Amino acid sequence: EAKLVRPLNLQSPAIVVPNGVNMDEVEPLPPLGQFRQRNPQLDSRPFFLFLGRIHYKKGLDLLADAYAMAVQRNLPADLVVAGPDDGALPDFQQRIANWQLNNRVHVVGPIYGPQKFEALRDATAFVLPSRQEGFSMAITEALAARVPVIITENCHFPQVAQVNAGLVIQLDIVELA
């Protein structure tokens, strides 16, 4: 980005601050089960975790339909959606209600700091079916917490597949399911 704006001859200095995860916030990883204790509705069932803004570009509409398809194929895992509503929550909740999956999908609101890593630690996998991402801190944090990820090609994180840290899929409901 600094190179892209250089031809504009702006007078203010450009400072490049690298994105990354402060490993002091991650390690040591929290013990297993702390997120489940805060969310007893999960019981001991495995769950997939969406963690981020609940916005159209994040693909939660696709996730709702793909999750319903996977449940119809006997997926034993629940779905946890954590994050602040940025306009897409009503549509997501309506889709889940239409699929009659309210007992399997848990919207827990925004979580930050240690609670975020507790959720990641207890998750079977992190899922982000995004339509568009620049550099996703949520993916980076999930990887730092050693959680496999399921992301779309639109997340622009091919390294996930290259190092077998998860799946990089097309933006497709059937493939996501």
Side-chain angles (χ1 to χ4, degrees):
E1 290 175 346
K3 290 178 188 174
L4 290 174
V5 299
R6 197 170 289 138
L8 299 175
N9 294 318
L10 301 174
Q11 298 303 311
S12 57
I15 299 171
V16 177
V17 179
N19 280 332
V21 175
N22 180 353
M23 291 305 290
D24 291 339
E25 294 178 16
V26 180
E27 293 180 349
L29 286 170
L32 282 170
Q34 290 187 340
F35 182 74
R36 289 182 186 283
Q37 284 179 342
R38 283 184 183 51
N39 296 277
Q41 71 275 20
L42 293 172
D43 198 28
S44 62
R45 292 182 307 277
F47 68 89
F48 292 95
L49 176 65
F50 170 91
L51 178 64
R53 288 183 305 123
I54 302 174
H55 185 278
Y56 173 77
K57 83 171 201 166
K58 301 294 185 176
L60 277 162
D61 54 333
L62 306 173
L63 181 57
D65 295 343
Y67 179 72
M69 189 180 295
V71 168
Q72 290 172 348
R73 296 177 185 167
N74 298 317
L75 176 74
D78 283 7
L79 175 63
V80 172
V81 174
D85 181 22
D86 199 1
L89 185 58
D91 177 69
F92 176 75
Q93 290 175 318
Q94 185 61 56
R95 289 172 185 271
I96 294 305
N98 290 346
W99 287 111
Q100 299 178 352
L101 290 170
N102 288 324
N103 62 330
R104 302 276 308 268
V105 177
H106 315 279
V107 178
V108 298
I111 53 175
Y112 303 104
Q115 289 184 353
K116 173 176 49 180
F117 291 103
E118 290 171 3
L120 286 165
R121 179 78 164 113
D122 285 356
T124 299
F126 168 83
V127 60
L128 181 61
S130 191
R131 289 177 166 86
Q132 184 275 325
E133 289 293 326
F135 183 86
S136 171
M137 288 304 298
I139 295 170
T140 307
E141 290 170 339
L143 294 171
R146 299 174 189 87
V147 178
V149 300
I150 302 167
I151 60 173
T152 58
E153 294 170 331
N154 303 41
C155 292
H156 305 290
F157 222 127
Q159 299 87 346
V160 165
Q162 292 166 359
V163 298
N164 295 318
L167 301 174
V168 178
I169 62 171
Q170 294 180 18
L171 188 62
D172 178 80
I173 293 171
V174 174
E175 193 170 349
L176 181 56

